[in-house]
Amino acid sequence: QVQLVESGGGLVQAGDSLRLSCAASGRTFTNYIMGWFRQAPGKEREFVSSIRWSSGTTAYADSVKGRFTISRDNTKNALYLQMNSLKPEDTAVYYCAAKMSLIHNYDYWGQGTQVTVSS
């Protein structure tokens, strides 16, 4: 059974940094694409970033490009999102997700971790 468990959220001030973690278990994720999504109050969930586990190829939403960095640790089966220069508009619940390939939808989701950025 696949489990994704996020951690690292919190309340910070604008300009601060946070690192989110996602502990992945239940299968080998070598061929998976892992992603981070977020959902702000009253808004739809949106894509933040993704990484192909095997190659390390990354993608970012324009709104976070240059500020956020996604990475993974193969030895720990962990996914990370380093968030720098945080803005109030980054406030959201952040979710870790996994899918088997580019043509698949994200099948597995974590429970989310709250990030709140005060101005």
Side-chain angles (χ1 to χ4, degrees), residues 36-80:
W36 286 99
F37 290 75
R38 67 186 182 186
Q39 187 167 20
K43 294 188 177 181
E44 293 188 354
R45 186 165 55 193
E46 64 174 1
F47 169 79
V48 175
S49 182
S50 66
I51 186 168
R52 189 184 293 269
W53 197 281
S54 56
S55 66
T57 303
T58 60
Y60 296 92
D62 287 342
S63 58
V64 306
K65 206 171 290 185
R67 299 188 299 122
F68 290 10
T69 303
I70 191 172
S71 63
R72 83 275 189 247
D73 185 329
N74 293 335
T75 62
K76 296 181 179 179
N77 241 23
L79 179 71
Y80 303 103

Side-chain angles (χ1 to χ4, degrees), residues 2-3 7 10 17 22 24 48 52 67 75 78 80 84 100 110 117:
V2 174
Q3 272 199 315
S7 61
S17 298
C22 174
V48 175
R52 189 184 293 269
R67 299 188 299 122
T75 62
Y80 303 103
N84 299 329
M100 295 178 64
V117 185

Side-chain angles (χ1 to χ4, degrees), residues 77-117:
N77 241 23
L79 179 71
Y80 303 103
L81 186 68
Q82 177 66 42
M83 306 186 294
N84 299 329
S85 302
L86 282 161
K87 304 175 181 180
E89 50 264 43
D90 295 319
T91 295
V93 177
Y94 283 72
Y95 297 91
C96 171
K99 63 177 182 177
M100 295 178 64
S101 74
L102 283 174
I103 63 172
H104 283 82
N105 293 322
Y106 281 91
D107 298 313
Y108 306 105
W109 295 84
Q111 82 289 350
T113 185
Q114 176 71 46
V115 172
T116 303
V117 185

